Amino acid sequence: MQRIYIYIIIAITLLADLFPQNLFAIDCINTKFLFDIKPGADQPSDIAVAPNGDIYLVDGLNNRIIVVDGNGTWKFAFGSEGPEKGQFNRPLGIDISENGNVFIADTGNHRIQIFDQRGNFLNMFSVKTNSPQTKSDPVDVAVSKIKNYLYVSDNDNHKIKVYDQNGAFEFEWGKSGEGTGEFRFPAMMTVNQFNELLVVDVLNTRVQKFDPFGNFVSVIGEWGVLPGRFFRPKGVALDKQSRVFVSDSYTGAVQGFTELGRFLGVVCENNKRKVFNTPVGIFIDKNNRLLVVEMRGNKITVLKIL
C-alpha cells in the first residue's frame, strides 16, 4: 500500500511539472520578490529577526550563526564546531526575545545556548530526558512573554519541554502518536500575540496550536500534496493579520491559513505559485516581509506580502 502512495505522489509531481501552473485554479496570497540573501551558508535551517531588524541565520553545517542587516548586508558571524561555550554541534533552531537575547537550539550538543545580539555568550543549559539511555534532540526554541517561558521541541522524544529563560525546567507535554497533543517529530515553532504556541508536527503533517500551558487548541492541515495540505511541513510564521504561514520542504510551497485551520492560499508571485528550493525556517518581519530559508538553495528569499 505504501508503494502505491509513492507512485501516486510521483504521478502528481510529474503532472505539476508538465502543465503550466495557471491551468489549475489556486488561491493565491500574492507577494513581490525583493531580493535574495546569499551569505555563504551550507544548508541553513532557521531564521529570526532581532528588534533592531538584523537577520540571524542558523548555518548548521558550518556550526555558526550568520548575521546580516535588514537589507542582507553581511555584519558578522559567531560560533564554531565543538562542545564548549559558544560552540555548536549542528544547531537547527533559533528565536530572539524582545530584549535581544538570542536563543539557539544546539541540537547535537543536546542543549540551549543564549547570546546577546553581538554574539557574546551569556548562558546555556542542557535539555534532559527522563531516561539516561535517551538523549534529547532539541531542534527549535520559541520565546514567550508568559512567565518568561522558553519552549523547546525535543524532536526524537516527541515532546515539548518548557523552561524559564534562565534554564530552569518548568513542565513538558507530548508523546509519540497521532492524537491531539501527541507528536511524530515536532519541529519548528512560533508564538502568537496571545502567547499560544504553534508547533509543526512533521510526520503527522500538521501544525498543532496550544495554550501557553500545553492544552490543545486547534489543528492546521493534513496529509497531501495539493493546496491546503502538507507533505513535509517545516517552518511556521505569523503575520500582523494572524495568518499562519507554513513551509513545505517537499512541495516547495509556502501556504497561508487562519489560526483555526481554514486554508487561505498559496504564496504566489504574479498570480503563479512561488516554488522554493526546500523551504524550511520562515519569518515575517514588522515590515510585512516574508523571509524564507531555502535549505538547498543556501539562501534567504525576501518577499513583500501584498
Side-chain angles (χ1 to χ4, degrees):
M1 183 65 69
Q2 185 177 8
R3 183 174 296 177
I4 293 173
Y5 285 144
I6 292 172
Y7 289 154
I8 292 171
I9 292 164
I10 292 171
I12 293 171
T13 304
L14 289 173
L15 285 171
D17 291 337
L18 286 171
F19 293 100
Q21 293 180 27
N22 56 11
L23 283 181
F24 301 96
I26 60 170
D27 295 315
C28 276
I29 299 174
N30 268 310
T31 63
K32 178 183 178 182
F33 173 78
L34 297 179
F35 54 89
D36 285 333
I37 303 172
K38 299 179 180 180
D42 188 358
Q43 297 187 37
S45 56
D46 199 14
I47 190 173
V49 176
N52 67 355
D54 285 348
I55 299 167
Y56 289 65
L57 178 68
V58 180
D59 184 12
L61 289 187
N62 287 319
N63 294 292
R64 63 179 180 173
I65 308 300
I66 295 173
V67 183
V68 299
D69 68 17
N71 296 315
T73 301
W74 176 279
K75 294 190 74 172
F76 63 95
F78 61 93
S80 60
E81 184 177 4
E84 304 300 323
K85 294 178 180 179
Q87 295 184 318
F88 300 110
N89 183 1
R90 303 293 177 92
L92 283 172
I94 184 171
D95 201 7
I96 301 176
S97 65
E98 284 190 335
N99 66 358
N101 284 347
V102 181
F103 295 83
I104 308 294
D106 187 6
T107 308
N109 283 323
H110 319 290
R111 66 187 181 186
I112 305 301
Q113 293 201 68
I114 309 166
F115 301 83
D116 67 17
Q117 285 185 236
R118 292 296 307 167
N120 298 308
F121 175 84
L122 297 176
N123 193 14
M124 67 181 183
F125 61 90
S126 295
V127 178
K128 298 180 179 179
T129 64
N130 295 326
S131 169
Q133 287 79 35
T134 306
K135 291 185 177 181
S136 66
D137 185 38
V139 298
D140 199 22
V141 290
V143 176
S144 173
K145 298 175 186 175
I146 293 288
K147 295 190 174 184
N148 208 36
Y149 282 163
L150 181 74
Y151 299 97
V152 178
S153 54
D154 187 351
N155 188 263
D156 285 353
N157 290 292
H158 315 288
K159 292 181 180 293
I160 303 301
K161 300 185 176 183
V162 187
Y163 297 81
D164 73 19
Q165 291 174 31
N166 295 313
F169 179 77
E170 297 284 347
F171 61 96
E172 65 181 31
W173 77 89
K175 63 179 181 178
S176 179
E178 300 178 15
T180 57
E182 298 175 343
F183 304 101
R184 289 197 297 161
F185 303 102
M188 300 299 182
M189 304 178 291
T190 193
V191 173
N192 69 12
Q193 60 180 327
F194 304 110
N195 290 293
E196 295 170 316
L197 181 72
L198 288 89
V199 182
V200 177
D201 187 7
V202 177
L203 285 193
N204 283 327
T205 59
R206 63 188 179 183
V207 174
Q208 294 194 70
K209 184 168 76 169
F210 301 90
D211 74 10
F213 310 105
N215 298 304
F216 173 81
V217 176
S218 63
V219 66
I220 298 170
E222 59 184 315
W223 184 88
V225 294
L226 298 177
R229 298 171 181 261
F230 305 129
F231 192 83
R232 280 294 180 270
K234 287 296 173 69
V236 59
L238 293 138
D239 70 0
K240 293 178 181 179
Q241 301 175 44
S242 296
R243 294 182 295 184
V244 181
F245 289 76
V246 183
S247 64
D248 192 313
S249 64
Y250 180 86
T251 64
V254 176
Q255 303 184 75
F257 301 81
T258 69
E259 285 200 73
L260 293 177
R262 182 170 64 87
F263 174 64
L264 296 174
V266 179
V267 167
C268 294
E269 187 179 3
N270 298 321
N271 291 311
K272 294 182 180 179
R273 182 170 73 93
K274 178 76 173 175
V275 180
F276 301 92
N277 188 355
T278 317
V280 282
I282 57 177
F283 194 96
I284 299 173
D285 69 11
K286 61 185 178 182
N287 297 314
N288 213 34
R289 300 189 308 177
L290 172 64
L291 294 86
V292 181
V293 179
E294 298 190 52
M295 186 181 72
R296 298 201 180 277
N298 294 317
K299 65 180 181 178
I300 304 167
T301 296
V302 184
L303 306 163
K304 180 72 172 180
I305 300 175
L306 301 179

